[in-house]
Amino acid sequence: MIIKVLGSAAGGGFPQWNCNCRNCVSVRAGAEGFRARTQSSLAVSRDGVNWALLNASPDLREQIANTPALHADPRVCLRHSPIKAAVLTNGDVDHIIGLINLREAQPFSVFASDRVLATVNANSVFQVLAPALVPRIEMKLDTPFNLEGGGVDLGLTVEAFAVPGKVALYLEDASAGGNYGSREGDTIGLKVTDPSEKKSFFYIPGCAEIDDELAERLKGASTVFFDGTLFTDNEMIEQGLLNKTGARMGHISMSGPAGSIAAFKKLGVGRLVYVHINNSNPALDENSDARKAIDAAGWEVGYDGMEVRL
Ligand code: MLT
Ligand code: MN
Ligand code: ZN
């Protein structure tokens, strides 16, 4: 299996268009130790020919341009794309808007939970993806399925499972109390398996907490791409950017007793890669203490163009 990190930033990207935090100013200035990042997405393929997107970022057009494996192949046909499927993990802007880039009558399949499909179905702009060519397929939770689309079997299975989290920001219902009307299926993780090689990885770009169920699921996994939004829960407030904690946004932090570094210590995962990294995260500075702490804990910070082979 080949996994490519198309975009490693959280919603807004890095730098974010309207942000003058230390990180955004530094990366715009080309400072040493900073690299620009597009919004959150992976691509996966068993054979290097046909690919599935795991989330479709608003930056998808640029991501395709930067990734020769995703280019239209003139040897195949006049109109062609190696992208045969897109699998969505939530309804965030950073995870669904890239679908709009995949118009122009190209067949592929969209897979999402009932909750996320309802959002896509409710927004008429997504009808630019012709229903006859782009089926929208509901992923049942905890039920592995064969990944196929555009008339191609990708030779991979996908299992979607609910993780602790929150409904997309623009769907929050303030009157619904505690978790803003979030329900199971609003935020999911994916387990992608190549049955022929008996290899799997997990992709969980949004997660509020590693509860016992999730810990049990991830125990002993070979590779996990995981929510790296914030380093500390209150960093956006401390930097004066936004009056919200990570917990309020549905994102676990990297550091702290309840953070992901601590939670994964006991799980014996082979390779741990942070993705969906917010522009406020001090670990975006390769020379920071935060980055040193991540390195020391055995985590990698994913970057655009990173490739992992299993
Ligand atoms: C998130 O993951 O919390 C969202 O991407 C935030 C946003 O919509 O920018
Ligand atoms: Mn997001
Ligand atoms: Zn910023």
Side-chain angles (χ1 to χ4, degrees), residues 145 159 239 286:
F145 62 92
E159 180 178 0
Q239 294 179 43
E286 287 166 18

Side-chain angles (χ1 to χ4, degrees), residues 13-16 19-25 28 239 241 279-280:
F14 183 54
Q16 179 173 304
C19 191
N20 279 313
C21 75
R22 177 181 174 271
N23 280 343
C24 287
V25 167
R28 254 186 228 112
Q239 294 179 43
L241 300 172
N279 60 80
S280 59

Side-chain angles (χ1 to χ4, degrees), residues 97-108:
I97 292 301
L99 292 176
I100 303 296
N101 287 286
L102 303 176
R103 61 195 186 278
E104 317 296 4
Q106 189 65 37
F108 69 100

Side-chain angles (χ1 to χ4, degrees), residues 215-267:
E216 196 52 46
R217 196 186 284 275
L218 298 177
K219 211 173 263 175
S222 84
T223 304
V224 179
F225 294 86
F226 194 76
D227 184 341
T229 309
L230 304 181
F231 189 74
T232 43
D233 192 49
N234 62 353
E235 74 190 34
M236 299 200 67
I237 299 171
E238 289 221 316
Q239 294 179 43
L241 300 172
L242 187 70
N243 197 26
K244 277 185 187 172
T245 61
R248 168 65 184 83
M249 297 190 296
H251 293 293
I252 189 174
S253 304
M254 295 173 169
S255 66
S260 52
I261 291 174
F264 271 92
K265 271 209 176 100
K266 304 155 265 180
L267 300 185

Side-chain angles (χ1 to χ4, degrees), residues 81-137:
S81 172
I83 297 169
K84 305 301 180 189
V87 187
L88 310 176
T89 65
N90 63 22
D92 275 8
V93 166
D94 48 336
H95 286 159
I96 68 171
I97 292 301
L99 292 176
I100 303 296
N101 287 286
L102 303 176
R103 61 195 186 278
E104 317 296 4
Q106 189 65 37
F108 69 100
S109 295
V110 176
F111 295 90
S113 69
D114 57 345
R115 290 282 286 170
V116 174
L117 271 192
T119 299
V120 171
N121 291 340
N123 282 275
S124 53
V125 67
F126 290 108
Q127 287 169 21
V128 294
L129 304 170
L133 296 173
V134 185
R136 300 170 184 183
I137 302 163

